[in-house]
Amino acid sequence: MKILLVSISNHHFFQWANQLKDCGHEVYWFDVMDGGPKSEKIPWVNQIKGWKMRWDFPLRQTIKARLPKWYRFVQLINEKKLATVFEKTINEIQPDLVHCFEMQLCGLPILQVMLQHKKIKFVYSTWGSDMYYFKENNITSQQVQQFLQRVDYLITDCQRDFSIAVANGFVNKFLGVYPGNGGIDYLNDYIQPIGNRKFILIKGYESFGCKASKIVDALQLLPIASFENFEIIIYSADAVIIEKVNSAPFFKNCKHQIIPRTTFVANNEMLKMMGLASIHISNNISDGMPNTLLESMGMGAFPIQSNPGNASAEVITHGVNGYLISNPLDENEIATWVEKAISNADLRTQAQDINIKLAQRNYNRAILKTKISQLYQEIFL
């Protein structure tokens, strides 16, 4: 089978694609953003790169930085249209199946081409906020409905997004709920007992949808003494979070570490850190099923997680195996759950056992590899 994957260059996409290695398919990847060289993370995939510019002229990056208006004018002529290139790609490869990951950047730009090739099976995987937050991303209901009418097969990372798709006119085959990265290789040897867990991990994203700043504010509402047995680690921290932490007197008086978002941390190293973490906190006003949530739960960290559209509630029962943040903009609520989690070692012990079993049962990469391979086979049965 010829499979054409359509995605941005993304770590989670590469992980999913690698689940297809050695499955006997001829796999291609069309990079919709055409960013950078071919990826070494999927060397076995036929990668369609370098399609965007007619001419990569000398000093292009310098001109882009110093003469942005002139650069944009030139690029109107120099850049090829994505739909035109994708149409050519379809005609050259003649794929049996096109699988796009995410709607706004990947699905909608190729929709008109896919409408002209209705015999080609079309699979769509929801990612993060693209279905839940489509209006905020300036996508109309009409666009979503037209897109979903063309989609033959749907994969979501949470049950919530399947419900949203159905409400917007999806009537074809639902293949199920799968993590966006195709599963997680949990490092069981690095899962520590409660007594050895000394970190409080905080995901440091700050954007229109991610609100780590409210976690930082929440910590400062609690006594310094609450954290005397822990080191606070803020990872993937955006610049505004780094500045906020560095300027706060609270953090000068407690042990902490900041890992900037620009600093590469290998996934295995992140999992090892989660295996040493007592608590993992992440806060968003919009998301799908966060991969970091599934990773941290499977490594035994107690989750304190926002719950947009009740997606996180699909894996967390509040007060049993984690705490759900009902209002991600309320630092007082977040502070309450952090304080309760720190003070209740018995709850964290109970949650660790529940979450490790849940993760191994539902998100173990080795188990999902067979299931994901069967998904593609099911399409052509």
Side-chain angles (χ1 to χ4, degrees):
M1 184 193 312
K2 288 184 180 180
I3 299 174
L4 176 56
L5 307 176
V6 182
S7 175
I8 61 172
S9 179
N10 177 276
H11 173 65
H12 297 314
F13 163 70
F14 297 141
Q15 288 183 303
W16 178 283
N18 276 324
Q19 289 287 51
L20 294 176
K21 188 177 182 182
D22 301 322
C23 288
H25 305 301
E26 191 174 339
V27 181
Y28 297 80
W29 169 43
F30 185 87
D31 179 4
V32 294
M33 303 301 287
D34 194 22
K38 290 186 177 182
S39 174
E40 296 179 358
K41 295 181 179 179
I42 49 170
W44 62 277
V45 173
N46 300 290
Q47 301 182 36
I48 301 165
K49 307 273 288 182
W51 60 263
K52 181 176 286 189
M53 286 185 293
R54 302 177 193 280
W55 180 40
D56 190 5
F57 50 89
L59 302 177
R60 184 175 63 83
Q61 292 298 333
T62 301
I63 294 170
K64 181 179 180 180
R66 296 182 181 179
L67 299 169
K69 289 184 179 180
W70 186 86
Y71 179 81
R72 285 195 294 270
F73 173 75
V74 170
Q75 288 301 90
L76 289 174
I77 303 170
N78 192 39
E79 285 190 7
K80 299 177 184 177
K81 293 185 182 300
L82 185 151
T84 301
V85 177
F86 190 71
E87 173 74 36
K88 181 180 178 183
T89 300
I90 289 285
N91 291 332
E92 289 177 351
I93 295 174
Q94 294 290 308
D96 300 296
L97 179 153
V98 170
H99 184 173
C100 85
F101 298 77
E102 197 269 344
M103 178 172 56
Q104 183 180 24
L105 297 175
C106 304
L108 291 176
I110 66 169
L111 176 57
Q112 293 307 313
V113 177
M114 293 307 299
L115 288 171
Q116 299 301 315
H117 294 273
K118 292 189 176 181
K119 291 184 179 180
I120 297 175
K121 304 292 186 181
F122 191 26
V123 183
Y124 160 50
S125 285
T126 64
W127 261 18
S129 300
D130 73 328
M131 183 59 65
Y132 178 69
Y133 226 47
F134 70 81
K135 292 180 181 178
E136 287 76 8
N137 287 327
N138 297 316
I139 300 173
T140 67
S141 297
Q142 291 76 15
Q143 287 176 300
V144 173
Q145 291 166 12
Q146 185 185 29
F147 176 70
L148 290 174
Q149 286 169 7
R150 175 59 186 90
V151 171
D152 299 303
Y153 300 90
L154 175 67
I155 300 169
T156 64
D157 63 13
C158 57
Q159 191 69 32
R160 178 204 69 193
D161 284 355
F162 171 58
S163 299
I164 295 173
V166 169
N168 282 277
F170 179 73
V171 295
N172 292 321
K173 180 72 173 179
F174 179 50
L175 295 176
V177 175
Y178 290 84
N181 60 5
I184 300 158
D185 282 320
Y186 294 106
L187 305 180
N188 297 332
D189 291 344
Y190 292 90
I191 297 175
Q192 295 295 315
I194 290 295
N196 293 350
R197 292 176 175 267
K198 302 301 181 184
F199 298 154
I200 294 176
L201 285 182
I202 298 169
K203 189 172 181 178
Y205 281 14
E206 183 72 15
S207 65
F208 79 98
C210 305
K211 300 299 177 184
S213 59
K214 291 298 178 180
I215 305 174
V216 174
D217 291 340
L219 298 185
Q220 297 176 74
L221 296 175
L222 300 174
I224 291 284
S226 300
F227 303 95
E228 61 185 0
N229 296 321
F230 299 99
E231 178 181 2
I232 298 169
I233 299 179
I234 304 174
Y235 70 93
S236 296
D238 283 316
V240 65
I241 297 298
I242 296 172
E243 182 179 354
K244 189 178 183 74
V245 170
N246 287 338
S247 62
F250 173 89
F251 288 96
K252 292 180 172 62
N253 295 304
C254 65
K255 191 175 182 181
H256 72 281
Q257 180 186 161
I258 301 174
I259 303 174
R261 192 167 179 174
T262 53
T263 299
F264 172 74
V265 179
N267 189 245
N268 277 3
E269 294 305 311
M270 194 71 241
L271 289 171
K272 290 176 185 178
M273 205 180 301
M274 289 171 171
L276 285 165
S278 181
I279 299 168
H280 180 273
I281 314 172
S282 183
N283 189 46
N284 313 282
I285 61 174
S286 177
D287 204 351
M289 183 63 70
N291 285 300
T292 52
L293 172 63
L294 302 179
E295 289 171 340
S296 62
M297 289 174 68
M299 292 302 293
F302 183 88
I304 300 176
Q305 179 73 44
S306 53
N307 187 32
N310 290 320
S312 300
E314 295 177 22
V315 295
I316 297 175
T317 300
H318 184 70
V320 176
N321 65 326
Y323 285 130
L324 294 168
I325 301 166
S326 61
N327 183 356
L329 300 179
D330 183 358
E331 60 267 29
N332 290 289
E333 182 197 345
I334 297 171
T336 297
W337 305 138
V338 174
E339 184 177 37
K340 284 180 176 291
I342 288 174
S343 63
N344 196 336
D346 289 341
L347 176 63
R348 286 186 275 118
T349 301
Q350 167 190 286
Q352 178 168 330
D353 182 60
I354 294 171
N355 290 337
I356 290 172
K357 289 177 180 176
L358 181 150
Q360 289 289 350
R361 185 171 61 249
N362 296 298
Y363 305 111
N364 183 292
R365 187 170 178 84
I367 294 173
L368 289 183
K369 180 178 176 64
T370 300
K371 292 184 177 181
I372 288 172
S373 176
Q374 289 172 347
L375 287 183
Y376 292 92
Q377 297 294 344
E378 180 182 339
I379 291 170
F380 286 93
L381 287 178

